[in-house]
Coordinates of all heavy atoms in Angstrom, one line a residue:
M1 N 0.2 1.0 -6.6 CA 0.6 2.3 -7.4 C 1.6 2.9 -6.5 O 1.6 2.9 -5.3 CB -0.7 3.2 -7.5 CG -0.5 4.3 -8.3 SD -1.2 5.8 -7.9 CE -1.5 5.9 -6.2
H2 N 2.6 3.6 -7.2 CA 3.5 4.4 -6.5 C 3.8 5.7 -7.3 O 3.8 5.7 -8.5 CB 4.9 3.6 -6.6 CG 6.0 4.2 -5.9 ND1 6.2 4.4 -4.6 CD2 7.1 4.8 -6.5 CE1 7.2 5.0 -4.3 NE2 7.9 5.3 -5.3
I3 N 4.0 6.7 -6.5 CA 4.2 8.0 -7.1 C 5.6 8.5 -6.6 O 6.0 8.5 -5.4 CB 3.2 9.1 -6.7 CG1 1.8 8.7 -7.2 CG2 3.6 10.5 -7.2 CD1 0.7 9.7 -6.7
C4 N 6.6 8.8 -7.5 CA 7.9 9.2 -7.2 C 8.1 10.6 -7.7 O 8.0 10.8 -8.9 CB 8.9 8.3 -7.8 SG 10.7 8.8 -7.4
R5 N 8.4 11.5 -6.8 CA 8.6 12.9 -7.2 C 10.1 13.4 -6.9 O 10.4 14.6 -6.9 CB 7.6 13.8 -6.5 CG 6.2 13.7 -6.9 CD 5.3 14.7 -6.3 NE 3.9 14.5 -6.7 CZ 3.0 13.9 -6.0 NH1 3.3 13.3 -4.8 NH2 1.8 13.7 -6.5
S6 N 10.9 12.4 -6.6 CA 12.4 12.7 -6.2 C 13.2 13.1 -7.4 O 14.3 13.7 -7.2 CB 12.9 11.6 -5.4 OG 13.1 10.5 -6.2
G7 N 12.8 12.8 -8.6 CA 13.7 13.1 -9.8 C 13.2 14.4 -10.4 O 12.4 15.1 -9.9
P8 N 13.7 14.6 -11.6 CA 13.4 15.8 -12.3 C 11.9 15.8 -12.8 O 11.4 16.9 -13.1 CB 14.4 15.9 -13.5 CG 14.8 14.5 -13.7 CD 14.7 13.9 -12.3
N9 N 11.4 14.7 -13.0 CA 10.0 14.5 -13.4 C 9.2 13.6 -12.4 O 9.8 13.0 -11.6 CB 9.9 13.9 -14.8 CG 10.6 14.7 -15.8 OD1 10.3 15.8 -15.9 ND2 11.6 14.0 -16.6
T10 N 7.9 13.6 -12.5 CA 7.1 12.7 -11.7 C 6.9 11.4 -12.3 O 6.5 11.4 -13.5 CB 5.8 13.4 -11.3 OG1 6.0 14.6 -10.7 CG2 4.8 12.5 -10.4
L11 N 7.1 10.4 -11.7 CA 6.9 9.0 -12.1 C 5.8 8.4 -11.4 O 5.8 8.3 -10.2 CB 8.1 8.1 -12.0 CG 8.1 6.6 -12.4 CD1 7.9 6.6 -13.9 CD2 9.3 5.9 -11.9
I12 N 4.7 7.9 -12.1 CA 3.6 7.3 -11.4 C 3.5 5.8 -12.2 O 3.5 5.7 -13.3 CB 2.2 8.0 -11.8 CG1 2.4 9.3 -11.2 CG2 1.1 7.2 -11.1 CD1 1.2 10.2 -11.6
T13 N 3.6 4.8 -11.3 CA 3.6 3.4 -11.7 C 2.5 2.6 -11.2 O 2.1 2.9 -10.1 CB 5.0 2.7 -11.5 OG1 5.1 2.6 -10.1 CG2 6.2 3.4 -12.0
S14 N 2.0 1.7 -12.1 CA 1.0 0.7 -11.6 C 1.7 -0.6 -11.6 O 2.2 -1.1 -12.6 CB -0.1 0.7 -12.6 OG -1.0 -0.2 -12.3
R15 N 1.7 -1.2 -10.5 CA 2.5 -2.5 -10.3 C 1.7 -3.7 -10.7 O 2.2 -4.7 -11.1 CB 3.0 -2.6 -8.9 CG 3.9 -1.4 -8.5 CD 4.4 -1.4 -7.3 NE 5.2 -0.3 -6.8 CZ 6.5 0.0 -7.0 NH1 7.2 -0.9 -7.6 NH2 6.9 1.1 -6.7
R16 N 0.4 -3.6 -10.5 CA -0.4 -4.8 -10.8 C -1.8 -4.3 -11.4 O -2.2 -3.1 -11.3 CB -0.8 -5.5 -9.6 CG 0.3 -6.1 -8.7 CD -0.2 -6.9 -7.6 NE -1.1 -6.1 -6.8 CZ -0.9 -5.4 -5.7 NH1 0.3 -5.4 -5.2 NH2 -1.8 -4.8 -5.0
P17 N -2.5 -5.1 -12.2 CA -3.8 -4.6 -12.8 C -4.7 -4.1 -11.7 O -5.5 -3.2 -11.9 CB -4.3 -5.8 -13.5 CG -3.1 -6.6 -13.8 CD -2.1 -6.4 -12.7
D18 N -4.7 -4.7 -10.4 CA -5.5 -4.2 -9.3 C -5.1 -2.9 -9.0 O -6.1 -2.1 -8.3 CB -5.3 -5.2 -8.1 CG -5.8 -6.6 -8.4 OD1 -6.5 -6.7 -9.3 OD2 -5.4 -7.4 -7.6
D19 N -4.0 -2.3 -9.3 CA -3.7 -0.8 -9.0 C -4.3 0.1 -10.0 O -4.2 1.3 -9.6 CB -2.2 -0.7 -9.0 CG -1.4 -1.4 -8.1 OD1 -2.0 -1.9 -7.1 OD2 -0.2 -1.5 -8.3
L20 N -5.0 -0.3 -10.9 CA -5.5 0.7 -12.0 C -6.5 1.6 -11.4 O -6.7 2.7 -11.8 CB -6.0 0.0 -13.2 CG -5.0 -0.7 -14.0 CD1 -5.5 -1.4 -15.2 CD2 -3.9 0.4 -14.6
K21 N -7.3 1.2 -10.4 CA -8.4 2.0 -9.8 C -7.6 3.2 -9.1 O -8.2 4.2 -9.1 CB -9.1 1.2 -8.7 CG -10.3 0.4 -9.3 CD -11.0 -0.2 -8.2 CE -12.4 -0.4 -8.6 NZ -13.2 -1.1 -7.5
A22 N -6.5 3.0 -8.5 CA -5.8 4.1 -7.9 C -4.9 4.9 -9.0 O -4.8 6.1 -8.9 CB -5.0 3.7 -6.8
F23 N -4.4 4.2 -9.9 CA -3.4 4.7 -10.9 C -4.1 5.7 -11.8 O -3.5 6.8 -12.0 CB -2.8 3.5 -11.6 CG -2.0 4.0 -12.8 CD1 -0.7 4.4 -12.6 CD2 -2.5 4.0 -14.1 CE1 0.1 4.8 -13.7 CE2 -1.7 4.4 -15.1 CZ -0.3 4.8 -15.0
C24 N -5.2 5.4 -12.4 CA -5.8 6.3 -13.3 C -6.2 7.6 -12.7 O -5.9 8.7 -13.4 CB -7.1 5.6 -13.9 SG -6.5 4.1 -14.9
P25 N -6.8 7.8 -11.6 CA -7.1 9.1 -11.0 C -5.8 9.8 -10.6 O -5.8 11.0 -10.8 CB -8.0 8.8 -9.8 CG -8.5 7.4 -10.0 CD -7.5 6.7 -10.8
A26 N -4.8 9.1 -10.2 CA -3.6 9.8 -9.8 C -2.9 10.3 -11.0 O -2.3 11.4 -11.0 CB -2.6 8.8 -9.1
L27 N -2.8 9.5 -12.1 CA -2.2 10.0 -13.3 C -3.0 11.3 -13.8 O -2.3 12.2 -14.2 CB -2.4 8.9 -14.4 CG -1.7 9.3 -15.8 CD1 -0.2 9.6 -15.7 CD2 -2.0 8.2 -16.8
L28 N -4.3 11.3 -13.9 CA -5.0 12.4 -14.3 C -4.8 13.6 -13.4 O -4.7 14.7 -14.0 CB -6.5 12.0 -14.4 CG -6.9 11.0 -15.5 CD1 -8.3 10.7 -15.5 CD2 -6.5 11.5 -17.0
T29 N -4.8 13.5 -12.2 CA -4.6 14.6 -11.2 C -3.2 15.2 -11.4 O -3.1 16.4 -11.5 CB -4.7 14.1 -9.8 OG1 -6.1 13.6 -9.7 CG2 -4.5 15.2 -8.8
E30 N -2.2 14.3 -11.5 CA -0.8 14.9 -11.7 C -0.7 15.5 -13.1 O -0.1 16.6 -13.2 CB 0.1 13.6 -11.6 CG 1.6 14.1 -11.5 CD 1.9 14.7 -10.1 OE1 1.3 14.4 -9.2 OE2 2.7 15.7 -10.2
F31 N -1.3 14.9 -14.2 CA -1.2 15.6 -15.5 C -1.9 16.8 -15.4 O -1.4 17.9 -15.9 CB -1.9 14.6 -16.5 CG -1.8 15.2 -17.8 CD1 -0.6 15.1 -18.6 CD2 -2.9 15.7 -18.5 CE1 -0.5 15.6 -19.9 CE2 -2.9 16.2 -19.8 CZ -1.7 16.1 -20.4
A32 N -3.1 17.0 -14.7 CA -3.9 18.2 -14.8 C -3.0 19.3 -14.0 O -2.9 20.6 -14.4 CB -5.2 18.0 -14.1
Q33 N -2.4 19.0 -12.9 CA -1.5 19.9 -12.1 C -0.4 20.5 -13.0 O -0.1 21.6 -13.0 CB -1.1 19.3 -10.9 CG -2.2 19.1 -9.9 CD -1.7 18.3 -8.6 OE1 -0.6 17.8 -8.5 NE2 -2.6 18.3 -7.7
R34 N 0.3 19.5 -13.7 CA 1.5 19.9 -14.4 C 1.1 20.7 -15.6 O 1.8 21.6 -16.0 CB 2.2 18.6 -14.8 CG 2.8 17.7 -13.8 CD 3.8 18.4 -13.1 NE 4.2 17.6 -11.9 CZ 5.0 18.0 -11.0 NH1 5.7 19.1 -11.1 NH2 5.2 17.2 -10.0
T35 N 0.0 20.3 -16.3 CA -0.4 21.2 -17.6 C -0.9 22.5 -17.1 O -0.6 23.4 -17.9 CB -1.4 20.4 -18.4 OG1 -2.5 20.1 -17.6 CG2 -0.8 19.2 -19.0
A36 N -1.5 22.6 -16.0 CA -2.0 24.0 -15.4 C -0.8 24.8 -15.1 O -0.8 26.0 -15.3 CB -3.0 23.7 -14.3
G37 N 0.1 24.2 -14.5 CA 1.3 25.0 -14.1 C 2.1 25.4 -15.4 O 2.7 26.5 -15.4
A38 N 2.2 24.6 -16.4 CA 2.9 24.9 -17.7 C 2.1 26.0 -18.4 O 2.7 26.9 -18.9 CB 3.0 23.7 -18.5
A39 N 0.8 26.0 -18.3 CA 0.0 27.1 -19.0 C 0.2 28.4 -18.2 O 0.2 29.4 -18.9 CB -1.5 26.6 -19.0
A40 N 0.3 28.3 -16.9 CA 0.5 29.6 -16.2 C 1.8 30.2 -16.4 O 1.9 31.4 -16.4 CB 0.2 29.3 -14.7
E41 N 2.8 29.4 -16.8 CA 4.2 29.9 -17.0 C 4.3 30.5 -18.4 O 5.2 31.3 -18.7 CB 5.2 28.7 -16.9 CG 5.3 28.3 -15.5 CD 6.3 27.0 -15.4 OE1 6.9 26.7 -16.4 OE2 6.2 26.4 -14.3
S42 N 3.4 30.2 -19.4 CA 3.5 30.7 -20.7 C 2.9 32.2 -20.8 O 2.2 32.6 -20.1 CB 2.6 29.9 -21.7 OG 2.7 28.6 -21.5

């Protein structure tokens, strides 16, 4: 699993099926942080 925050958006990739154990929680955490931040800006 790889997380890239260097661009305008965050990219989270899963490189192999074995990465899914780390990928799923990372994706949910990042999504929750981004949506909470967007809600606070509204």
Side-chain angles (χ1 to χ4, degrees):
M1 189 218 25
H2 181 73
I3 300 175
C4 176
R5 293 185 178 98
S6 63
N9 298 306
T10 300
L11 175 65
I12 303 173
T13 63
S14 174
R15 301 180 188 269
R16 300 181 310 259
D18 293 344
D19 291 344
L20 290 177
K21 278 185 153 181
F23 173 79
C24 292
L27 178 66
L28 293 175
T29 299
E30 194 69 34
F31 182 76
Q33 290 173 352
R34 298 293 175 183
T35 56
E41 292 174 7
S42 317

